[in-house]
């Protein structure tokens, strides 16, 4: 009988992130010695099942994108574990990592800077296929055309350059590039934040259709809770590099536990002018990740903070049905 952990069927797990840490050194002085660290990601933990979308949300600068890139080992971690199908990604040697790379891909936030302006669309999408020995330069074009068509592009686009396309079309090219090697896991790093609202829905629907057809697992990073609610099965909320709450999507929106999550959800607009929401306005500025507060990182802005919050850092704990929250107010 398969084991169950935190509401997740362990036999279906694709990705396990355990207490992940990523620090960036701060250099100073004439000799540029390390004088401190920016704690971009600190003790982040979550799991991802096959065919599931895990949404990662939080304010700008909270460490969402850094977490995604560290999971893919685009950055080297400073602590914790990242297990992909049971393998520790950061423990693999160069050859083993190269063999695993096709299974893990990323769609970047900016469709303008993420594509090489000197390469045609066909070369951009086909480059990885040739590099990993799937096809040769002679026979790759047919497969590239098939991928581009699946992502909503036309055959004659294959010989054009990125500057000849709109932002939405460029993001489709980025998705096609990620799709080319038939991955199992894709990090979507704010894939629609740089696009017009009307185009956002098209890209989101494309990602959903591709997931239904091919069974991808997504780590969907965004600061837009409305978008994350639409695409995610479960959601994790980050604040100042740490995970403060995780739950299934409907549970999180209907029963938020952490004060920070409640404040974020209160800011989500309602498409009905007759309804009014009680906005929770957080006071104070976001602390620096180079010098985070003691105890709970959120206590400097939390309206419910008390003495224990200033001294002890709360750990994620189950508040019922796999709903996890890091708050001293929970029982």
């Amino acid at each position: 009988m398969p084991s169950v952990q935190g509401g997740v069927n362990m036999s279906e797990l694709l990705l396990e992130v355990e207490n992940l840490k990523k620090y960036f050194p701060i250099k100073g002085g004439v000799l540029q010695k390390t004088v401190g660290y920016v704690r971009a990601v600190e003790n982040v933990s979550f799991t991802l099942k096959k065919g599931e979308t895990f949404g990662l949300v939080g304010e700008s600068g909270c460490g969402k994108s850094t977490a995604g890139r560290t999971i893919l080992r685009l950055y080297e971690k400073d602590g914790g574990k990242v297990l992909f199908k049971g393998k520790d990604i950061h423990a693999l040697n160069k050859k083993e990592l190269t063999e695993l790379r096709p299974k893990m891909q990323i769609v970047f936030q900016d469709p303008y800077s993420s594509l090489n302006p000197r390469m045609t669309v066909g070369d951009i999408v086909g480059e990885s296929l040739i590099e990993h020995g799937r096809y040769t330069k002679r026979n790759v074009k047919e497969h590239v055309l098939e991928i581009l068509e699946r992502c909503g592009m036309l055959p004659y686009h294959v010989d054009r350059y990125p500057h000849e396309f709109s932002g939405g079309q460029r993001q489709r090219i980025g998705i096609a590039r990620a799709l080319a090697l038939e991955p199992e896991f894709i990090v979507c790093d704010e894939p629609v934040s740089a696009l017009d609202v009307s185009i956002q829905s098209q890209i989101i629907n494309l990602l959903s259709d591709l997931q239904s057809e091919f069974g991808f697992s997504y780590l969907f990073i965004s600061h837009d809770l409305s978008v994350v609610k639409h695409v995610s099965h479960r959601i994790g909320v980050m604040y100042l590099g740490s995970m403060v709450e995780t739950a299934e999507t409907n549970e999180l929106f209907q029963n938020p536990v952490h004060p920070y999550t409640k404040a974020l959800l209160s800011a989500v607009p309602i498409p009905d002018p007759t309804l009014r929401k009680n906005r929770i306005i957080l006071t104070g500025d976001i602390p620096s990740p180079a010098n985070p507060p003691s105890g709970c990182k959120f206590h400097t802005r939390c309206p419910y903070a008390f003495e224990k919050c200033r001294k002890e850092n709360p750990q994620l704990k189950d508040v019922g049905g796999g709903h996890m929250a890091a708050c001293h107010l929970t029982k």
Side-chain angles (χ1 to χ4, degrees):
M1 182 175 181
S3 60
V4 175
Q5 178 176 318
V8 177
N9 188 331
M10 296 298 285
S11 66
E12 298 178 348
L13 280 182
L14 182 72
L15 182 75
E16 299 171 72
V17 181
E18 302 175 4
N19 299 318
L20 184 65
K21 296 180 182 180
K22 177 58 186 175
Y23 300 162
F24 293 102
I26 302 171
K27 304 290 184 178
V30 177
L31 300 178
Q32 288 294 292
K33 291 184 177 180
T34 300
V35 296
Y37 290 92
V38 174
R39 299 170 181 262
V41 177
E42 192 163 36
N43 295 325
V44 167
S45 300
F46 65 91
T47 57
L48 183 68
K49 294 191 292 185
K50 295 178 181 178
E52 183 185 37
T53 298
F54 185 88
L56 197 57
V57 301
E59 294 169 291
S60 296
C62 72
K64 307 184 298 295
S65 295
T66 301
R69 296 183 184 208
T70 307
I71 288 168
L72 291 177
R73 201 175 166 182
L74 299 180
Y75 295 144
E76 293 293 334
K77 68 178 177 65
D78 290 299
K81 287 184 179 180
V82 179
L83 304 179
F84 181 78
K85 301 176 76 171
K87 293 182 179 180
D88 188 342
I89 294 173
H90 288 263
L92 300 179
N93 59 38
K94 186 176 181 180
K95 181 181 178 182
E96 292 170 331
L97 186 61
T98 300
E99 292 174 352
L100 186 63
R101 280 291 182 211
K103 299 298 182 183
M104 305 182 300
Q105 296 293 309
I106 184 170
V107 177
F108 293 99
Q109 175 180 359
D110 186 359
Y112 291 89
S113 62
S114 63
L115 302 177
N116 189 332
R118 299 182 179 181
M119 295 176 67
T120 65
V121 170
D123 290 338
I124 289 171
V125 177
E127 181 183 28
S128 60
L129 292 166
I130 297 170
E131 183 69 25
H132 285 275
R134 302 284 184 90
Y135 293 85
T136 65
K137 289 184 178 181
R138 291 185 177 182
N139 62 13
V140 72
K141 188 171 183 178
E142 183 178 347
H143 187 64
V144 168
L145 288 171
E146 181 182 339
I147 296 168
L148 288 172
E149 182 180 359
R150 187 63 193 82
C151 292
M153 304 298 287
L154 297 173
Y156 65 85
H157 289 153
V158 73
D159 294 318
R160 291 190 173 183
Y161 290 86
H163 73 271
E164 301 179 76
F165 297 95
S166 66
Q169 288 175 315
R170 289 191 187 196
Q171 197 60 293
R172 289 177 183 271
I173 296 167
I175 293 171
R177 178 176 58 185
L179 186 67
L181 287 169
E182 302 176 359
E184 296 180 42
F185 170 55
I186 301 177
V187 173
C188 299
D189 187 6
E190 305 219 30
V192 297
S193 64
L195 307 177
D196 293 338
V197 175
S198 59
I199 305 301
Q200 288 184 9
S201 60
Q202 296 177 19
I203 297 301
I204 290 169
N205 289 336
L206 173 62
L207 290 170
S208 297
D209 291 344
L210 291 172
Q211 185 178 50
S212 298
E213 183 175 350
F214 298 105
F216 302 137
S217 296
Y218 291 134
L219 173 61
F220 195 96
I221 298 168
S222 179
H223 61 270
D224 190 331
L225 280 161
S226 299
V227 171
V228 172
K229 181 181 181 182
H230 182 71
V231 302
S232 303
H233 299 94
R234 290 186 298 128
I235 294 176
V237 181
M238 283 185 68
Y239 180 78
L240 208 63
S242 298
M243 196 79 81
V244 297
E245 188 165 1
T246 65
E248 292 185 357
T249 300
N250 290 335
E251 169 68 13
L252 188 82
F253 275 78
Q254 294 172 9
N255 185 33
V257 173
H258 198 280
Y260 178 62
T261 306
K262 293 179 180 179
L264 287 181
L265 293 178
S266 75
V268 177
I270 299 177
D272 187 342
T274 64
L275 296 178
R276 295 184 64 87
K277 295 183 71 173
N278 294 322
R279 282 290 311 275
I280 301 174
I281 307 298
L282 298 176
T283 59
D285 296 326
I286 303 175
S288 169
N291 186 27
S294 60
C296 175
K297 294 180 179 180
F298 187 59
H299 86 259
T300 57
R301 304 174 72 197
C302 181
Y304 311 108
F306 56 102
E307 190 61 27
K308 186 177 182 181
C309 301
R310 301 178 181 89
K311 294 180 178 179
E312 297 182 24
N313 184 28
Q315 302 299 311
L316 276 175
K317 60 181 180 181
D318 197 330
V319 296
H323 189 154
M324 310 290 287
C327 183
H328 291 307
L329 294 172
T330 60
K331 297 181 181 179

